[in-house]
Amino acid sequence: MDGNPSTKNSQIKMDKWSTTVRFAGDSGDGMQLTGGRLTFEAAISGMGLATFPDYPAEIRAPAGTTFGVSSFQVRFGEGLIASSGDHADILVAMNPAALKMNIKEVIPGGLIIIDNGSFNDRGIRKAGYSNNPIEDNSLSGMQLISADISNLTIEAVKDFGLGQKDGIRCRNMWTLGLILWLFSKNTKQTEDWLIKKFGKDNILTKANIAALKAGSAYAENTEISNDILRKEVPQAKPLPGKWRAITGAEAIAFGLATGANHANLKMTLCSYPITPASPIMHYLANYEIENIGIYQAEDEIAACCAAIGVSYAGGLGVTSSSGPGISLKTEAIGLAISVELPLIIVNSQRAGPSTGLPTRAEQSDLMQAIYGRHGEAPLVVLAPKSPADCFNISHKAIKIAIKYMTPVMILSDAYLTNASEPWLIPDIEKIEKFPAKFANFIENYQPFERDPKTLARKWVKPGTKGMEHRIGGLEKDSISGNISYDPDNHAKMTNLRNQKIQNIEKEFSDIPINGLDNGDILLIGWGSTNGPISEVKELLKNENIKISHIQLNCLWPLSSKLKEIITKFKSTIVIEMNDGQLYNLLRTEIAPKANSITQVSGKPFRVSYLKEKILNILKDGI
Amino acid sequence: MDGNPSTKNSQIKMDKWSTTVRFAGDSGDGMQLTGGRLTFEAAISGMGLATFPDYPAEIRAPAGTTFGVSSFQVRFGEGLIASSGDHADILVAMNPAALKMNIKEVIPGGLIIIDNGSFNDRGIRKAGYSNNPIEDNSLSGMQLISADISNLTIEAVKDFGLGQKDGIRCRNMWTLGLILWLFSKNTKQTEDWLIKKFGKDNILTKANIAALKAGSAYAENTEISNDILRKEVPQAKPLPGKWRAITGAEAIAFGLATGANHANLKMTLCSYPITPASPIMHYLANYEIENIGIYQAEDEIAACCAAIGVSYAGGLGVTSSSGPGISLKTEAIGLAISVELPLIIVNSQRAGPSTGLPTRAEQSDLMQAIYGRHGEAPLVVLAPKSPADCFNISHKAIKIAIKYMTPVMILSDAYLTNASEPWLIPDIEKIEKFPAKFANFIENYQPFERDPKTLARKWVKPGTKGMEHRIGGLEKDSISGNISYDPDNHAKMTNLRNQKIQNIEKEFSDIPINGLDNGDILLIGWGSTNGPISEVKELLKNENIKISHIQLNCLWPLSSKLKEIITKFKSTIVIEMNDGQLYNLLRTEIAPKANSITQVSGKPFRVSYLKEKILNILKDGI
Amino acid sequence: MGINEKPAQLKPNDYASDQEVRWCPGCGDYAILNAVKRTLADHQADKANTVFVSGIGCSSRLPYYMSTYGFHTIHGRAPAFATGIKITNPELDVWVITGDGDSLSIGGNHFIHLFRRNLNCQILLFNNEIYGLTKGQASPASRTGTISPSTPKGSLESPLSACELALSSGATFVARGVDTAIKQLVPTLSKAKEHSGTALVEIFQNCIVYNDNVFNSFTEKSAAIERQIHLENGKPMLFGEDNTKGLSLSADHSKLEVIDLKINKKEESKILIHDESNKIIAYLLSQMNQSTMPIALGVLYSTEKPTLDSYYTHRIEEHKNKISNIMEKGQTWTI
Amino acid sequence: MGINEKPAQLKPNDYASDQEVRWCPGCGDYAILNAVKRTLADHQADKANTVFVSGIGCSSRLPYYMSTYGFHTIHGRAPAFATGIKITNPELDVWVITGDGDSLSIGGNHFIHLFRRNLNCQILLFNNEIYGLTKGQASPASRTGTISPSTPKGSLESPLSACELALSSGATFVARGVDTAIKQLVPTLSKAKEHSGTALVEIFQNCIVYNDNVFNSFTEKSAAIERQIHLENGKPMLFGEDNTKGLSLSADHSKLEVIDLKINKKEESKILIHDESNKIIAYLLSQMNQSTMPIALGVLYSTEKPTLDSYYTHRIEEHKNKISNIMEKGQTWTI
Ligand SMILES: Cc1ncc(C[n+]2csc(CCOP(=O)(O)OP(=O)(O)O)c2C)c(N)n1
Ligand SMILES: Cc1ncc(C[n+]2csc(CCOP(=O)(O)OP(=O)(O)O)c2C)c(N)n1
Ligand code: SF4
Ligand code: SF4
Ligand SMILES: [Mg+2]
Ligand SMILES: [Mg+2]
């Protein structure tokens, strides 16, 4: 344990069996792809892994500039790999700008692999260095592999008749070859993948394979072979079955599609492009799954209204957006609450107010999700805790929405959207099904009569004979649904709408406790912070602190079990990437004495940061 | 004191010097006008008064229907008249529907004045009565004046050559004459007013005066003259000066105009019509005050954006709406917060989620006002406590907005908008002025450099030479304002934006305590509930309960003084027209043990209801 | 939904709900409601298969008065709801009910995108050139100079023409009618219903409370014959007493002109034959200066184009993938 | 803001801010930025008096690159901000910068109302027929069949024409240019700046990442002469090699046609003379089928109408009441 947790660079090595590799280069350098390949190699060895792709800005910038740098971090290994790593053990930097923007992410003594072919005067100046960082000692204390990768690659591929420009594009395969060798992986899988991708006889295939092999050979032929970082990564023992890597966006797409399928409903995702929500729409558009469609509307308001129209017509309406787009949907969501139709709203949260930091993650839309509408307008708010959990939560959201005839908001974020983890592909036939029930013919049908248990009204498909009726956003009679200005009726309806949502807490009363169900400290998180919180809990548990952790999936309604769980701990710490929104919610009643750890920087928590903050709270007395 | 407060009809007579009169009829019957005249008569006698106009629906309905009934209640008298009365002492019902819709508002034993000329079969059926309520004993226990007012009016005006249709329109003056006589008022003022309105020789003037006099004469000539309700209303002693009656909407219009004037700014109210917000726009459009204009945009989003544009250009941007419209402004308000420009947002709250009950009051937009935006996006939330207070709060909102370069939201509601009270017209030259300061030329100007005290950035008018700069909604460097993706900068800016708003609590640290500054019970209200809360406090104080009351004007940031005040009382009760929103806010830190009294019916609190609830809380032990 | 699908003939009033109609007495909305009910009865429309979707406004209350399915949504967004409904169930006959404020002010964007996408539905725009429900403010359809609570000295802005805007957005059917002229309105609504694609019917509707008589110049009995031209496809554009006036294109092709046959019989050949598929003439018809020219009523424009609901449905039908297959696509590994 | 107002001549680059330009290398936005700077330099525009207001999109980043005042607002709403700015200070020269998604998708309503009100500003629509910033989804300007992440099998909807929509909304100035054709673009921007009222310039802009070469059919060097017609007011509508082709109106007045003078010299008299004030011809020019007709560039339409900022300002100047007087109006009483 580090005695001085406030030193910024104090790297706490989480566990001895994990390694974090970060690839950084221009947007055009193929860093995401290279990272993805390494991820896959790790995955098929059955290791745990977590990734963190980082796109600094939305626009593709001129080559060599700092704001054009794209990076991909992957952490893999045995044991608990829940976060993508505080710092990189290895950094691959394709040019000076990539080095500049990422050097502070590397642990002291880490390995840096540099293409010195790109460290010419122009490149160095563009990155904002005054001197060449390879030469001016600024990398001292780091292990450095500095090679003219550009030239080595061009040499390796020169036989295939690619021009200089195309040849140099194979640099990423060259570095991948080197990295694979470092981890004692051969290049076979990647070669097969290239063949599958471009075709066996394509010169691109040949050139890339040549570059890959050249990189691997280079590593073998230079003295870095003895480096401590060359670890034999042991085989882990995950559950048997068919696995794949999955990002949060894909998992939401699959979860929604599976949920709609299990509800026996045609689904349409009605959306409008926005970062980082768009991938969900793109995936669904590409999947071409039966009965699942997407509709790109003219704006977010229309998208939300169309989704409500879908549900009104007896389909499953889903709408998805981020920050500004979610704010725009506010009014329409209020109508869905008022007419009590199912609706799924996916919010891939991004950082900051207004346009903010579109590509960065934050959890600051929680209060808006719960309270952001005019009038008393309650709905259900759920949050997945990992890329794979996005599948479960999306699936469950649909169950809740149709069982209770209510909008459900799913709070994902920019991190979950893009991060990936290994996922045991489920047999969807074995997951609980919940076919939607439509009312057919009811004598003297009353549109707002409710199921006494769920308080849900009945869902009627237009087209059903004898059930014609009218609904709308004006206050309505609690039975007939006719417009009603009666004050007592309004009070009653307000109460019913609220009660219906409060009842749903039962559906989420099973809150798994990570650790013992009593002790000194209970960490409470929600959403994408599960990784670093799980890890810091393990770390502190190993230091003999009586610590447990719960990660809430349901933020509204709050479970009545929560209070019970909390009372069994001396102290509670609520951890979130905002200014303390869940903390404030819990303080009103459930955990009046909770502590709060927050971070609003647009970046995921570092485990070391959490450890420091928790220890500080402990020091101050709990 | 009533021992059984749960009986619905148990009228608690607040004080012996007040009377509540309710006029009810078709929309076309001139009830608002008649009520207004009586209000004026009461006002010029220097009495305290409060009014409650009630329009049941937005559309003018066919004559004689229950949903077309319009009513106007006025309460006047000596002593504290802060609410418009729980029940009416006198009801004027122009037709069966008006009787039906209003009879439950009358105290047992109250006086009902009926035009039996309109109680024909058709009218009775239209109102949904099966029998004539005048004849079937259903009014027993009430005092009844049943006259063929229609015919009496026609008779009274027949000499002036008006047709039957126009003649009958004078019915309202006939009833006013009767009412004036009941309160020993002569008809002189009203006659003068009619002459001023229509011209001396107009036959409308003559006919209306004739009807007025006929009503007065009728009262004098019938046995109701001895009725207990004929009270001599004593003269009260208000402050000397020039007085007028004012509604909340007018007071907001005046307060904004005066604030803009005192800030030395051109102001534009950018709005889109919506009930009940529109009157503010209408008043300002009609006033034609120098440098004050209105702009009706194509929707609420455009209205809010245009208002931000106004402030950006160096004017004072104001935008005003209700429920659905406020929800639509969410995204744009976030931008105003991010670029830190002054902006006034007036929310005339209405009842219910979605379209809800457009003409009814509620306070359920508080949480939305504070938290309803994506990202951490704090602003200032103020609430006037009476029609006249709307002037002060609007004026102060402008001061805060320009001093701190921040959006300020004013939470009014449907009740404040339309209700009126006497107002001592202020000498605006004597009110604090706060001329806006624009930065002229600054060497090396940095758009986000802040005043160390207020944390406000400088306001620069485009057109100022040498100060050209760019702003926008992306996260920005804390000094230069250039786009910044730096995590630490984002954390810093989030904190600065929040701190700036929190500092503003100092501006509202003077919280007047209505009563002693310690005791058993502290009632906390906000906004338009001031009337009934003040009255219930007086009532209970008179019953020897140690009770005080504060009515918060500033809901965000919450004053640090609040906690101090609260600790001096054994118990705190938060009273509001929603599901407990302020209550929840206060519970997190300031008043963890507070109690809550709420009502979500779209109607103002009844003093009797509050008394009952408070006594119940007392009984349960505080 | 052909005629005579049901055994018992439905009468117009069978399409009325049990809710009391709450418009102001004398409001033009009553006549339109009747025309709509008659149109449905003429088609013996299946109530269960008919959906009225509206925004907010006096006009938008119409769905409550129909015994069909109805959805009173939020201000300006009815087209978006209609889109969700039709792509989910293209069999439903969807009627969008809107006002000039609802569709041309807050809802302008959804209005134009509805035409661009050509959703198969009818959109009835009740144009009273005012915001009725919110007590009479000027709307984007109000004429310059309109006195209203928000424009006490007269509005300054120029009005939008709903038909012109629709044409420029790709509308495939644009028609006009007058609230009380039920004889012409019902056949126009009928054609709108039969049209495949978005069918706009702009209906001039008198708001007796806030904008009374604003259409008098062409709706008054005495004026109608000289100030209205009822278009019929393939027929010459004639109007006036004994059809003695006609429309022709001005020499510079910039506008339509009136030819008075009583004076200028020789020019008869210049009179245009109404061709519903000619968009440019439809533009000219929709733009005619109301102070000097008659108002064009009936179907101004009609053409065929694939509808959003049909091509959306078609695409969904092509989606054949099973979820499991998709999940297992790409790189997997087995343990 | 006449020429030579300042002693030192400003060069185009004096209008550049110190911020690094962050578009993709080769993006058409660079050329437009240069054209804008040149236009300002040609006018010796006062930097302090110039405001660039934009929505969100690649194109909407332009204000950051100008050394004038700049406001990067929210998606689709720039016209509304511009309106607030101009009614507060009509002296400012306001340029609205927007993309096809920004103005025709989410911002469609503000777009049409800007023209209806005729705010005195320039609106430059960077039309790359795609959402650039959000990584290439189809926009309302994308042609049917566009392959994109949200339309992997090709988009199904029909595109909107910005110019046609503007004309139908009351636009008083409608023009078009091509990003790289700076020689034609600068004079067009100049005219837009000089126009009193809302001046739309639609600029075809190549997005090399997501929609590369989509305008090639008329922007490629070899094609330009046969596929572009550069309109000049009062001049015949000629184009092609040696101006040997011209445009005329079809017999049924429904569209424009090409007359090839090499073949049909006799028909020369039918060739239209460009009259900027003829809205109907402007409609036809904006609608020309891109596969068979040339694209119309330059000023399609221009007319005069009072501007919102002038009449708003005029009205405010008429407001003479003092607050105190208004407060004391009506019924008061003195105690
Ligand atoms: C978001 C929102 N903004 C404003 C309103 C208030 N509002 C209701 S109807 C209406 C306009 C009605 O005008 P129009 O569409 O012409 O219908 P009409 O009443 O004239 O039939 C307005 C502004 C609202 N209900 N919701
Ligand atoms: C309210 C809102 N919705 C969506 C977005 C995401 N978004 C940013 S730019 C853009 C479209 C950009 O397209 P266009 O206007 O054509 O500009 P281009 O990038 O092509 O220049 C979208 C959808 C946003 N920022 N805000
Ligand atoms: S206000 Fe006008 S449009 Fe509305 S119901 Fe009354 S007459 Fe009809
Ligand atoms: S994505 Fe397209 S429009 Fe955007 S900067 Fe790149 S090339 Fe230009
Ligand atoms: Mg209207
Ligand atoms: Mg674009």
Side-chain angles (χ1 to χ4, degrees), chain B residues 58-61, chain C residues 22-30 57-59 61 126 128 130-136 205-212:
Chain B
E58 306 125 297
I59 327 182
R60 285 130 305 280
Chain C
R22 298 193 178 194
W23 290 307
C24 306
C27 173
D29 290 351
Y30 285 96
C58 296
S59 34
R61 295 284 174 102
F126 293 35
N128 54 14
I130 212 79
Y131 293 138
L133 187 61
T134 50
K135 303 206 199 309
Q205 173 245 325
N206 192 46
C207 168
I208 66 159
V209 176
Y210 296 115
N211 215 12
D212 200 18

Side-chain angles (χ1 to χ4, degrees), chain A residues 315-329:
Chain A
L316 180 75
V318 180
T319 189
S320 141
S321 194
S322 299
I326 293 291
S327 287
L328 284 170
K329 294 178 198 289

Side-chain angles (χ1 to χ4, degrees), chain B residues 58 60 272 282 288 296 298, chain C residues 61 75 105-106 137-138 150:
Chain B
E58 306 125 297
R60 285 130 305 280
Y272 182 73
H282 300 169
E288 304 191 350
Q296 181 180 317
E298 59 272 29
Chain C
R61 295 284 174 102
H75 194 31
S105 199
I106 191 168
Q137 300 86 358
S150 57

Side-chain angles (χ1 to χ4, degrees), chain D residues 59 99-101 126-132 139 205:
Chain D
S59 34
D100 49 311
F126 293 36
N127 186 3
N128 53 15
E129 296 190 357
I130 211 79
Y131 293 138
S139 94
Q205 174 246 323

Side-chain angles (χ1 to χ4, degrees), chain A residues 5 120 140 217 283 293 356 371 427 435 449 453 461 474 505 574:
Chain A
N120 50 31
S140 65
Y283 284 122
Y371 290 121
D427 178 352
E449 215 159 36
K453 244 179 89 181
K461 256 188 206 170
L474 284 160
E505 65 102 3
V574 184

